[in-house]
Amino acid sequence: MTTATSLDQAFLADFHDTYQFGATPANGVDRQAGTREDGQIRDWFRERAIAAGMEVRVDSVGNLFALYNWDPSLNHVFLGSHLDSQPLGGRFDGCYGVIAALHAAQEINARVQAGELEPVHNLAVVDWFNEEGARFQPSIMGSSVVAGSMDRDKILATKDSKGISVKEALEDIGYLGTDVAPIPTAYAEIHIEQGRLLERHKTEIGAVTQSWYTQKLLVTVNGEQSHTGATYMADRHDALAAAAEIVLKTEAVVDTFPAEEIVTSVGQLTVEPNSPIVVPRQVNMVVDLRAHLRSQVEEARTRLLEQFKEIEARRHLTVLAQDYDIRDHQHYPLEGIELTEKAAAEAGQSCMRIETMAGHDSVPMNRIVPTVMVFVPSVDGVSHCEREFTRDEDLVAGVKVLAEIASKLVSGSLDAVEPGEAEL
Ligand code: HGY
Ligand code: MN
Ligand code: MN
């Protein structure tokens, strides 16, 4: 077993090394899926994996795997997350989980080579393609294809705002793979919390129990173009003014729910024709609704659709809303939660059970194999922002916990456990 300090130092050296890829002036990263920067960090990861004696594979939707194949007849425990980021995103979201997995895997390999561990499964570290869903929508693409909840060909044909397809982008960075993906038997992912509960409770490890219910609404407002100077106000059908009301109503709909149980936002909005002296004819926007309970999202959705009707009638225009990217609750198996709690206790780390408000690759994976999701604290609960930060000591503590969980998974601890249930 490598001594803890060498594991810590090797992990921190690698993790800090990743900051260079897509580095932004305010200490963030911009490494959107399939971009040159995404390709650069993947090349770097591939080199580190090969140097650690791993076999590297790339599948047909750009998922990147690094494998320890101790016995070619065995399937693989997966450890992973994602290297892609949001625009002007944080250095930790996703990338931490991949580098933590890479070093946890090396720790487990050292134990296997030293005869301290007899694995009944091989081990795979994975960088899932396009978890973030910034450039290509929806999010959580690569793991959803492996989990069977998204169609491979549809994903490859998905285009970004410049009309470039996933297939073309992957070809450009050399990651349109032809390898057969390994077969998962269990999955574990460590990730920054991106919220503020661990910090609020002064707790070092989060054992994730379930994901929040989430959905998006693709909203199109159709008004009419006119001259911003020559058209009387009564004659205007201003799609952007209507959209502005929708943005504020999306924010206000949470007011009638218990605090911190539901969150809503409009994160993406495009205006047509976007000319300074033309009243906008069309606005396309994405409404993001997430809550602790499915019923809360459904109630908020009903209220918003009623408000959209009122805006339509008053402003003599149309508002179309389409349900999109619906993710049911996923309950992580109790046995996996208890694995995290035991591993944290062994590592002398405080631990609490927590729900994830953000989506992760572990959500689709949780549908096909027993999945363990672990959090480390986020300073100020900030994420998807250059200010995102987690302290080195918390990162290192997480790697140790992940290594302990991985050692139990490769020893078959969850072999008799079903994947997490979706809330019916
Ligand atoms: O959708 C999510 O919550 C994730 O950040 N992609
Ligand atoms: Mn993430
Ligand atoms: Mn993210």
Side-chain angles (χ1 to χ4, degrees), residues 51-298:
M54 303 174 94
E55 177 204 351
V56 171
R57 285 190 210 167
V58 182
D59 75 4
S60 58
V61 284
N63 293 316
L64 174 56
F65 300 92
L67 313 177
Y68 278 121
N69 303 313
W70 297 307
D71 176 338
S73 69
L74 298 176
N75 50 24
H76 290 72
V77 164
F78 282 21
L79 305 179
S81 195
H82 60 93
L83 293 172
D84 68 306
S85 82
Q86 290 289 342
L88 291 187
R91 296 168 160 178
F92 301 80
D93 178 355
C95 186
Y96 166 58
V98 176
I99 309 306
L102 183 63
H103 282 268
Q106 290 174 57
E107 165 64 17
I108 299 308
N109 183 53
R111 293 185 199 174
V112 171
Q113 300 310 328
E116 294 163 11
L117 185 58
E118 292 253 325
V120 297
H121 300 295
N122 293 316
L123 193 52
V125 174
V126 51
D127 162 30
W128 296 110
F129 174 71
N130 188 33
E131 189 278 347
E132 288 294 7
R135 180 184 176 193
F136 297 106
Q137 278 112 36
S139 57
I140 317 187
M141 266 185 183
S143 51
S144 296
V145 171
V146 166
S149 44
M150 281 188 200
D151 173 74
R152 173 194 169 283
D153 294 330
K154 240 175 116 196
I155 293 301
L156 289 173
T158 302
K159 293 185 187 305
D160 66 8
S161 57
K162 297 197 184 76
I164 299 169
S165 72
V166 164
K167 185 169 184 290
E168 288 160 337
L170 285 171
E171 266 165 346
D172 284 353
I173 62 169
Y175 282 92
L176 183 67
T178 52
D179 299 329
V180 176
I183 313 257
T185 178
Y187 179 64
E189 178 168 357
I190 194 160
H191 202 285
I192 54 170
E193 179 197 342
Q194 301 177 294
R196 56 169 64 245
L197 287 182
L198 289 177
E199 184 177 67
R200 187 183 287 172
H201 294 274
K202 297 188 177 26
T203 301
E204 291 145 320
I205 297 289
V208 182
T209 56
Q210 75 165 51
S211 55
W212 271 27
Y213 184 88
T214 71
Q215 77 151 91
K216 294 184 178 69
L217 285 171
L218 284 184
V219 176
T220 299
V221 184
N222 282 308
E224 183 182 62
Q225 283 191 205
S226 56
H227 196 302
T228 52
T231 315
Y232 286 125
M233 294 309 281
D235 296 333
R236 297 183 183 206
H237 308 282
D238 186 335
L240 184 53
E245 282 198 60
I246 289 173
V247 170
L248 292 177
K249 287 184 186 311
T250 297
E251 184 183 51
V253 78
V254 307
D255 294 349
T256 55
F257 291 93
E260 300 190 349
E261 287 204 8
I262 181 169
V263 291
T264 64
S265 251
V266 173
Q268 190 177 62
L269 183 146
T270 55
V271 186
E272 296 299 337
N274 206 26
S275 159
I277 50 170
V278 175
V279 172
R281 74 166 182 280
Q282 185 180 87
V283 170
N284 286 288
M285 56 214 282
V286 179
V287 171
D288 188 344
L289 307 172
R290 308 186 184 211
H292 165 63
L293 297 175
R294 175 178 185 158
S295 57
Q296 291 165 327
V297 167
E298 289 174 342

Side-chain angles (χ1 to χ4, degrees), residues 387-400:
R387 205 162 64 81
E388 181 180 280
F389 188 73
T390 296
R391 299 175 316 161
D392 278 356
E393 51 268 44
D394 291 331
L395 297 173
V396 164
V399 178
K400 289 198 187 83

Side-chain angles (χ1 to χ4, degrees), residues 350-372:
S350 54
C351 182
M352 65 183 270
R353 294 187 180 188
I354 189 171
E355 295 180 358
T356 179
M357 300 162 71
H360 300 286
D361 295 303
S362 67
V363 172
M365 288 304 288
N366 195 12
R367 292 201 181 101
I368 60 167
V369 292
T371 293
V372 186

Side-chain angles (χ1 to χ4, degrees), residues 320-337:
L320 303 172
Q322 193 195 335
D323 294 303
Y324 177 65
D325 202 4
I326 298 175
R327 289 185 225 142
D328 214 331
H329 293 294
Q330 280 295 306
H331 294 273
Y332 294 91
L334 178 61
E335 296 81 352
I337 295 164

